[in-house]
Structure formats: structure tokens, C-alpha cells
Amino acid sequence: MNDEFKGKSGKVKVMYVRGDDENDKRGQNPRTGKGGRPAAARQDGNRRPSRNADDKPRGGRDSGHSDSPWRTVSRAPAAAADDSKPDHGGISGKSYIDPEQLRRQRLEETRVYGENACQALFQSRPECIVRAWFVQEVTPRFREALRWMAANRKAYHVVDEAELAKASGTEHHGGVCFLIKKRSGMPVSEWLADAGEKDCVLALEDIGNPHNLGGIMRSCAHFGAKGLLVDDASLLESGAAVRTAEGGAEHVQAISGESFVAGLDAFRKAGYTIVTTSSHKGTPLARVELPAKVVLVLGQERDGLSDSAWQKGDLSVSIGGTGKVESLNVSVATGVLLAEWWRQNS
């Protein structure tokens, strides 16, 4: 060791010099004692130990040389991941989606499209919107909706015509499509609890054509009929029905009972007059007085009302015409009936 005086500070710089008799400390930090060559390599001064047949190179896997500093330590394999749930590459492997949950979610959602339909839906129930697609041309007319969706973190996309046709499932999308949560049918008892002195309800038996349903909802909105007794409330939420209604779907409410006939019985007990309709039998509509609280029962065009529904009627009416066609389209017949009810009770 050599001590050397440095500068006016009086500090002593300590220099360490390794001698030949200090081979055992070669490479060690003098203050910490760490480092240096392993003991097995310090057997003969500075001479590196020879490698013979019994020696293993670095990284060798011979477990017999337990004193080797380069031995590989075997570790038990990590617990296998649960293969019953596929991992789709999400963060921390938590991207798995339950197929049953996804199926239920899709059943609870539907797509509606058409400019008037989507504008009315946004004004009536914006909270039901899950996602939206627009073409650039309609975005100025949906400025308020876009601002609301951005503020409420609702996803929306500005796409071309082809992408919107794919998203909506139709070429007749009108430049906009909303993915929404479906409304459920209101129980008959809940509807009757809030009914007023004047109330016209339509009861639709086995009518499933979305364009007919859309036309019916449009007539209901025009003439003030707010309730539709149906077996399946989701039919009123189909994209084609809502688009055909041109905004009228937001002014009607689906009503559901234990069954179609049970729903008619509940309305009768509440004081409603049950009016059945037919194209060829019944009192001509022009000679009928329609009460303020009424249920108009309509069936599909081909078979009409079932016997069980027909027998529930308090009054049967028909719409006269030339007879050159068997009957009117059910949505057109609905418009004629509602116009007469509105004329008598407005």
C-alpha cells in the first residue's frame, strides 16, 4: 500500500497494490470484499484450472458437480393455465368473455337506422344508445347527438356507405345506424294503473312483418294510440320496423300479458270495450260508435283473428269497400280504424 499526500485539503489518497501473495484476493473490492475468482479457480496461483473430461463447460447441466458456480438450477414448471377458458391476448389474460353472457347481451341489443328514426330515438331515450355509425353527409344534422355521445363516452364512427351497410345489415340505412338496448314490454297491470279516461290500445295477434308493424306504429303516433298489446315486444324494436315508423316508434309502448287472450281479459275487466275487426263480417265502421276506452284487435291478413281472440270481442266491425280485393293491408286498415276513433273522440 502506498500513501500519498494530495493538496492543501490534507486528504490522503490510498492506493492499493496487489502483490503475488494476494492471489486469493484477486479481483475483490477491498472495501466490500465482494468479487474475486471462485475458490476452485485459485488452486495454483495465477494458473487457470485446466478443463478435463470430468469438467463441464459453463452452462453445463451435470447435476453431479453441485459445487460448480455455473450449475443450472432446475425449477418446478409454473402452474398450467386453466385451459377451459381461452385467452384472447388481453391484459393479464383477463380478456375471456363468457359466451353465454355475450349471447344474452346480443339478445338485449338491436340495430335501428334511418335518419328520422334515429333522431326521434335520440330525443326520446339517448341513454339506450350503445354505439353509433354515421356517414359524413349526415353528421351536421346529428351535431347534438355527436356532442352528447362524446360527453358520455359513447362510441361512434364516421364511415363510408359500404361500412355502414355492413354495420346496419341493410343498404337502406339512411346514413346512420344506432346499436341500442331493447325496451321490454310493460305489464298490462302497470299500463292500466296509469291509463286515463280516453285510451285507445291496439292488440296485434300474430303480426310479425316489420314493415306492417312500422306502418302501424306510425299511424298510432299520428292518431294518439299509445299502447300495443303484443306477444313479443322485441318485434317493435327491429330496425326495419323502426325505420318504417319514421320516428313513430318512440311514441308507442309495447304491452305484454301472460298471454294474448289473458291480456284482452284484463282490459275488459278494466272497463275497455274490445273491438274485433274483419274484412267481410261485422258492423260497417261508418255506423259504429267507438268508445273513448277501446282495444282494437287486429290479426294477420291471411288468416285473420284466431277463434279464441274473436270470441273475446264485445263489438265486431268491418271496413267496407269495392270487394275487388279480399282485404286491406293490416297497417292500412289500422290507419282507417284509428282515424275514425280519433274523429269521434278527439
Side-chain angles (χ1 to χ4, degrees):
M1 183 178 72
N2 180 25
D3 295 343
E4 180 182 356
F5 179 78
K6 290 292 183 180
K8 298 180 180 180
S9 63
K11 294 182 179 179
V12 176
K13 181 178 179 181
V14 181
M15 302 175 64
Y16 291 89
V17 180
R18 183 173 55 244
D20 293 339
D21 58 345
E22 293 182 304
N23 288 335
D24 289 345
K25 295 182 180 180
R26 181 174 300 175
Q28 288 186 350
N29 187 310
R31 280 181 269 180
T32 63
K34 295 181 180 180
R37 292 165 57 189
R42 298 196 300 266
Q43 296 176 356
D44 190 13
N46 293 331
R47 184 175 61 86
R48 294 172 60 87
S50 62
R51 180 176 297 173
N52 53 37
D54 294 334
D55 294 330
K56 291 289 182 181
R58 294 184 181 182
R61 300 180 181 272
D62 188 357
S63 59
H65 292 74
S66 59
D67 58 344
S68 171
W70 311 110
R71 67 182 182 276
T72 301
V73 179
S74 298
R75 295 176 179 172
D82 185 2
D83 295 334
S84 62
K85 296 182 178 181
D87 179 17
H88 303 289
I91 298 175
S92 302
K94 296 181 180 179
S95 62
Y96 172 76
I97 301 176
D98 183 4
E100 181 63 21
Q101 179 182 353
L102 183 61
R103 185 187 70 83
R104 290 195 304 269
Q105 179 177 330
R106 287 176 176 173
L107 289 175
E108 295 171 356
E109 296 175 345
T110 188
R111 284 171 167 81
V112 299
Y113 42 84
E115 186 170 338
N116 290 338
C118 290
Q119 286 282 19
L121 189 148
F122 170 70
Q123 296 297 330
S124 177
R125 45 185 175 128
E127 69 284 349
C128 77
I129 300 174
V130 178
R131 187 180 295 268
W133 295 263
F134 304 89
V135 296
Q136 184 64 47
E137 290 77 6
V138 306
T139 53
R141 298 189 290 277
F142 282 88
R143 187 177 293 108
E144 183 182 353
L146 290 167
R147 187 182 298 113
W148 182 88
M149 283 186 279
N152 290 272
R153 298 185 178 181
K154 301 286 187 177
Y156 66 88
H157 314 272
V158 178
V159 297
D160 58 24
E161 293 278 348
E163 289 183 74
L164 186 53
K166 184 177 180 180
S168 62
T170 179
E171 295 179 353
H172 307 289
H173 46 66
V176 58
C177 174
F178 286 169
L179 176 66
I180 66 168
K181 291 287 186 181
K182 294 179 182 178
R183 291 181 295 182
S184 58
M186 178 182 292
V188 175
S189 57
E190 185 176 340
W191 178 270
L192 293 175
D194 295 332
E197 295 182 358
K198 183 176 72 173
D199 188 23
C200 180
V201 173
L202 263 64
L204 308 179
E205 184 183 41
D206 296 331
I207 299 176
N209 184 292
H211 297 94
N212 285 338
L213 290 172
I216 289 171
M217 289 190 288
R218 187 171 183 175
S219 295
C220 286
H222 184 75
F223 292 113
K226 300 178 181 180
L228 290 174
L229 178 65
V230 291
D231 287 323
D232 186 0
S234 66
L235 293 176
L236 303 182
E237 295 277 82
S238 73
V242 175
R243 181 182 183 276
T244 306
E246 293 288 351
E250 301 309 312
H251 301 283
V252 298
Q253 171 63 52
I255 307 171
S256 58
E258 295 181 2
S259 67
F260 188 77
V261 173
L264 295 178
D265 285 335
F267 276 103
R268 175 185 287 108
K269 292 177 181 178
Y272 286 72
T273 299
I274 310 299
V275 178
T276 56
T277 58
S278 174
S279 59
H280 56 278
K281 58 183 178 180
T283 306
L285 179 61
R287 299 205 306 263
V288 171
E289 183 179 347
L290 295 174
K293 298 185 72 169
V294 65
V295 176
L296 300 175
V297 188
L298 297 106
Q300 56 179 312
E301 298 168 27
R302 185 182 63 182
D303 300 325
L305 294 175
S306 65
D307 292 338
S308 58
W310 180 264
Q311 294 169 2
K312 295 296 180 181
D314 302 313
L315 176 66
S316 178
V317 300
S318 63
I319 301 173
T322 63
K324 294 182 179 180
V325 292
E326 183 179 355
S327 64
L328 289 172
N329 174 276
V330 66
S331 64
V332 175
T334 299
V336 174
L337 291 166
L338 289 176
E340 182 62 21
W341 176 83
W342 176 260
R343 185 188 67 82
Q344 296 183 22
N345 297 278
S346 62

